[in-house]
Amino acid sequence: MYLYVKREEGLSRVPESLLSVFGSPESALVMVLEPHRKLAMADAATVLDDLESKGFYVQMPPASFSESLLSTLTIED
C-alpha cells in the first residue's frame, strides 16, 4: 500500500484512523507529480485532486495481487 502526501504537509492532513490501519509509514519515493505523468497503478490527475482536496491519496495493491497473496497463507486452528 502506498500513501501519497504533499512533501511540505507530510502526514498532517492524514486522518488518525487511516494511520492506525496503515501502520508505521516509511518514505519510499519523492517525485514531482504532474497531471499527465504516467504512474503504474494510479491516475496522476486523480492523485493530485485527492492531494488538494483530502491531503492524501491511498494506493492499494491490485485485487489479483492481494487475492494471490492471501491464497498462499495457511491458517492453523
Side-chain angles (χ1 to χ4, degrees):
M1 175 175 11
Y2 288 98
L3 178 64
Y4 290 75
V5 295
K6 289 184 174 184
R7 185 178 194 178
E8 64 273 7
E9 293 179 355
L11 301 173
S12 66
R13 293 179 58 196
V14 179
E16 188 59 41
S17 58
L18 175 58
L19 288 176
S20 67
V21 173
F22 191 80
S24 297
E26 294 180 24
S27 180
L29 179 68
V30 176
M31 71 173 129
V32 175
L33 188 55
E34 298 173 341
H36 301 292
R37 182 177 181 144
K38 299 252 187 232
L39 299 174
M41 306 281 288
D43 175 65
T46 302
V47 174
L48 288 168
D49 287 345
D50 280 4
L51 289 175
E52 285 301 316
S53 64
K54 299 178 192 175
F56 65 94
Y57 175 84
V58 176
Q59 178 182 310
M60 298 292 289
S64 59
F65 173 80
S66 300
E67 290 166 3
S68 66
L69 180 63
L70 289 174
S71 70
T72 64
L73 299 176
T74 57
I75 301 174
E76 296 179 22
D77 291 324

